[in-house]
Amino acid sequence: RELNLKQEAANARNFAQIHARDAYLVVPRHIPALTSERVLTQEWVAGSKISDLSPDEQEAMIRMGLDTCFTQMLGSGFIHADPHYGN
């Protein structure tokens, strides 16, 4: 359970800044007027299920995910520790 969703919003902004060079990575912006410690409201980002992508597109997504993970672990040290498919 997230304890403070305003902190989660700040973490998302930090993550977006760290990964700004990664044009393929989209971090939804939060809406401050609709965000509190218990509610995080973010913009909608349209996407696709990985299963709907071609094998080549799936491989590209995997490579982008690995690149992002390695940047976190070996570069910035700022780790996104909630990487489920909705994130």
Side-chain angles (χ1 to χ4, degrees), residues 38-57:
R38 295 183 51 148
V39 175
L40 174 60
T41 306
Q42 296 176 295
E43 69 180 342
W44 177 260
V45 176
S48 301
K49 288 182 175 182
I50 197 165
S51 60
D52 291 341
L53 302 177
S54 72
D56 287 343
E57 291 170 320

Side-chain angles (χ1 to χ4, degrees), residues 36-86:
S36 68
E37 289 183 5
R38 295 183 51 148
V39 175
L40 174 60
T41 306
Q42 296 176 295
E43 69 180 342
W44 177 260
V45 176
S48 301
K49 288 182 175 182
I50 197 165
S51 60
D52 291 341
L53 302 177
S54 72
D56 287 343
E57 291 170 320
Q58 289 180 17
E59 183 177 332
M61 290 293 294
I62 292 166
R63 290 182 188 279
M64 289 184 272
L66 288 171
D67 181 54
T68 302
C69 287
F70 286 125
T71 297
Q72 291 173 72
M73 291 185 294
L74 304 174
S76 69
F78 186 81
I79 309 293
H80 182 277
D82 191 19
H84 58 79
Y85 64 82

Side-chain angles (χ1 to χ4, degrees), residues 2-10 35-40:
E2 305 295 346
L3 299 178
N4 183 339
L5 294 175
K6 283 186 175 185
Q7 181 61 52
E8 185 77 4
T35 297
S36 68
E37 289 183 5
R38 295 183 51 148
V39 175
L40 174 60

